[in-house]
Amino acid sequence: MASLQPVRGTHDLLPDEARRARHVIETGRGIAERYGYEEAATPIFEFSEVFARTLGETSDIVTKEMYTFTDKGGEQITLRPEGTAGIARALISGGLSQHLPLKFFYAGPMFRYERPQKGRLRQFHQIGAELLGVGEPSGDVEVIALGATILEELGVLQHTALELNTLGNTESRAAYRALLVEYFSDHLDSLSAESNDRLERNPLRILDSKNEGDREIVAGAPEFDDSLDAASQEFFAAVCAGLDTLNIAWQRNSRLVRGLDYYCHTAFEFTTEALGAQGAVLAGGRYDGLVEQMGGPSTPGVGWASGIERLSMLIGEAPAKQRPISMIPMGDAAEAVGLRLTEDLRRAGYTVDMGYRGKMKQRMKRANNINASVAVILGDDELAQCSATLRDLDSGEQELVALDDLRDRLEQFR
RNA sequence: GUGGCUGUAGCUCAGUUGGUUAGAGCGCCUGGUUGUGGUCCAGGAGGUCGGGGGUUCGAAUCCCCUCAGCCACCCCA
């Protein structure tokens, strides 16, 4: 076995898998454009502070998952663990606030130092969408609808369920958090060690604990809805109503919380059973406080991200490759003619393969292996008549065609 | 980061209580066909049994360490 292993949690995208990833990205990009989202790309590394400040000092991502290093200039740099912070930073540093609302689509690699598992990698890829400058619930609806449409187009929507929750506005969230801390503090001894830890850092997370003992205690915890003020309730109701209008099925999950500090109001996840413990396929929410927290003007935002590898695992086979035409010259004279024909056809838009060596049998075999639809055979007999033999590789039928007519005759094999 | 399972040819796997040159199917290469693939027949190449150390006359097989994948926790995409 090769002693050269890829770095843990990374993997190669060989053509088969690359094609699937490309299909996911192109589908996402195409649909995002119909919704008015334009592609944007931010650097894959930023000053560490961009993530540390926005994701929350106590979040898991910041405390243990960031790939951080000091560059040769002494700067603290971090490989991006997610896409939203970079977009927000770009909004501020590019002075884009005066062009709001802005609608961005992005695709690219993300990095998190985690223990790898199926559907969980250290370098993984996401597509994502961000809507900036829209504080209305219709923004949430649009963003979720975009996600649903992409999943549908990829053929995976039926394998997912949309879970929806609200975290309320800042005031409601703070009030609920206080109630939770008060409640759980009375049960400190019964809570798991992990949840004790969470009480300090992110008490909402306890609601989502899978620990049996925790669940019993959680069952008696205060309900989020009781802490929601009128404005927050109204907002959530509007989002739900919008989804209903669009016939997007959803279910309330009052345990659904987000790990990142900047989320408020809507939180959602399209989840699946098909990926083991990694249920989230496409997830996001509203982050009205983020841009301001980074030092920019107060700017509402809502968006989501989706794991390309996870989507790829759900879609099965990628669309079929283009079937090439196989050029098969026999001898030096034919080689030169074949080279020229191949180039002409390629420039005319055909996909053409011409081998670099080998006897006819080997070249035919290669034509078969690459799933060519037709072989163009050029030998002395053909050249003498300024013609080529076309062999239909599916039917096995072949015919002599004048070189001048070649391009037209190949039209049916495109 | 914690716990568990796994690791034999390019791929999927077999390998009997430790015993001689580690096997199969698929794939790959060559020939049967001086210019005809996909079917068929014949032959061939390819493995330091994840890596390192140990026990033993002898290790793919037993023990320890390590790396990687997978599963659960955690977290999420």
Side-chain angles (χ1 to χ4, degrees), chain A residues 240-396:
Chain A
C240 297
L243 293 176
D244 291 341
T245 298
L246 296 179
N247 283 321
I248 295 173
W250 57 275
Q251 61 200 43
R252 179 73 188 275
N253 177 358
S254 58
R255 302 279 182 253
L256 178 64
V257 294
R258 308 264 74 199
L260 309 183
D261 277 5
Y262 52 67
Y263 283 103
C264 60
H265 287 297
T266 315
F268 64 92
E269 281 184 9
F270 286 86
T271 60
T272 181
E273 307 277 293
L275 296 177
Q278 276 61 247
V281 173
L282 186 154
R286 179 162 278 281
Y287 49 87
D288 291 348
L290 173 65
V291 175
E292 189 171 15
Q293 191 179 333
M294 288 185 76
S298 172
T299 308
V302 56
W304 52 257
S306 181
I308 293 174
E309 285 85 356
R310 290 186 184 177
L311 289 172
S312 293
M313 280 188 276
L314 293 176
I315 63 175
E317 289 299 299
K321 277 180 281 196
Q322 175 86 16
R323 294 185 73 183
I325 292 162
S326 210
M327 187 67 66
I328 300 185
M330 310 295 301
D332 292 343
E335 188 97 21
V337 175
L339 179 63
R340 206 192 64 233
L341 283 174
T342 297
E343 193 65 9
D344 287 348
L345 287 167
R346 286 171 175 165
R347 291 185 184 205
Y350 292 87
T351 301
V352 189
D353 178 85
M354 184 166 105
Y356 305 97
R357 69 184 75 86
K359 298 184 295 187
M360 184 170 197
K361 181 169 176 168
Q362 294 164 319
R363 289 173 185 258
M364 285 297 286
K365 196 173 172 66
R366 173 172 168 80
N368 195 59
N369 286 343
I370 62 176
N371 193 31
S373 53
V374 61
V376 179
I377 298 164
L378 290 169
D380 293 339
D381 298 347
E382 285 84 356
L383 287 186
Q385 304 173 63
C386 285
S387 302
T389 298
L390 284 199
R391 182 177 176 90
D392 182 322
L393 292 174
D394 291 330
S395 68

Side-chain angles (χ1 to χ4, degrees), chain A residues 88-353:
Chain A
R89 195 233 76 229
L91 176 86
I92 299 169
S93 40
L96 303 178
S97 296
Q98 51 194 315
H99 301 299
L100 296 174
L102 287 168
K103 305 164 79 159
F104 293 126
F105 170 84
Y106 64 85
M110 306 292 166
F111 306 83
R112 292 183 198 173
Y113 191 87
E114 291 187 279
R115 183 110 168 219
Q117 232 174 281
K118 184 177 188 172
R120 187 209 268 179
L121 297 157
R122 288 185 174 177
Q123 178 181 334
F124 59 104
H125 299 80
Q126 290 184 330
I127 57 174
E130 312 289 355
L131 172 59
L132 292 153
V134 175
E136 289 78 4
S138 53
D140 305 54
V141 173
E142 176 179 282
V143 155
I144 292 171
L146 167 59
T149 304
I150 292 172
L151 293 179
E152 184 170 23
E153 181 85 11
L154 288 171
V156 305
L157 187 64
Q158 72 262 29
H159 303 304
T160 69
L162 170 57
E163 299 184 22
L164 192 66
N165 196 23
T166 177
L167 308 173
N169 56 18
T170 314
E171 298 78 34
S172 299
R173 197 178 173 185
Y176 182 57
R177 184 186 164 114
L179 280 179
L180 270 189
V181 171
E182 190 184 328
Y183 172 78
F184 286 125
S185 294
D186 292 339
H187 299 269
L188 269 189
D189 296 342
S190 326
L191 281 176
S192 65
E194 276 152 358
S195 287
N196 264 286
D197 197 41
R198 283 189 276 232
L199 188 58
E200 303 276 314
R201 302 192 293 129
N202 192 345
L204 297 192
R205 277 249 83 92
I206 300 176
L207 296 175
D208 211 17
S209 175
K210 286 171 189 164
N211 180 287
E212 288 287 330
D214 286 356
R215 280 175 180 253
E216 286 178 29
I217 299 170
V218 165
E223 284 294 323
F224 206 153
D225 287 359
D226 297 334
S227 297
L228 288 179
D229 60 22
S232 297
Q233 287 179 29
E234 205 174 298
F235 190 96
F236 188 54
V239 173
C240 297
L243 293 176
D244 291 341
T245 298
L246 296 179
N247 283 321
I248 295 173
W250 57 275
Q251 61 200 43
R252 179 73 188 275
N253 177 358
S254 58
R255 302 279 182 253
L256 178 64
V257 294
R258 308 264 74 199
L260 309 183
D261 277 5
Y262 52 67
Y263 283 103
C264 60
H265 287 297
T266 315
F268 64 92
E269 281 184 9
F270 286 86
T271 60
T272 181
E273 307 277 293
L275 296 177
Q278 276 61 247
V281 173
L282 186 154
R286 179 162 278 281
Y287 49 87
D288 291 348
L290 173 65
V291 175
E292 189 171 15
Q293 191 179 333
M294 288 185 76
S298 172
T299 308
V302 56
W304 52 257
S306 181
I308 293 174
E309 285 85 356
R310 290 186 184 177
L311 289 172
S312 293
M313 280 188 276
L314 293 176
I315 63 175
E317 289 299 299
K321 277 180 281 196
Q322 175 86 16
R323 294 185 73 183
I325 292 162
S326 210
M327 187 67 66
I328 300 185
M330 310 295 301
D332 292 343
E335 188 97 21
V337 175
L339 179 63
R340 206 192 64 233
L341 283 174
T342 297
E343 193 65 9
D344 287 348
L345 287 167
R346 286 171 175 165
R347 291 185 184 205
Y350 292 87
T351 301
V352 189
D353 178 85

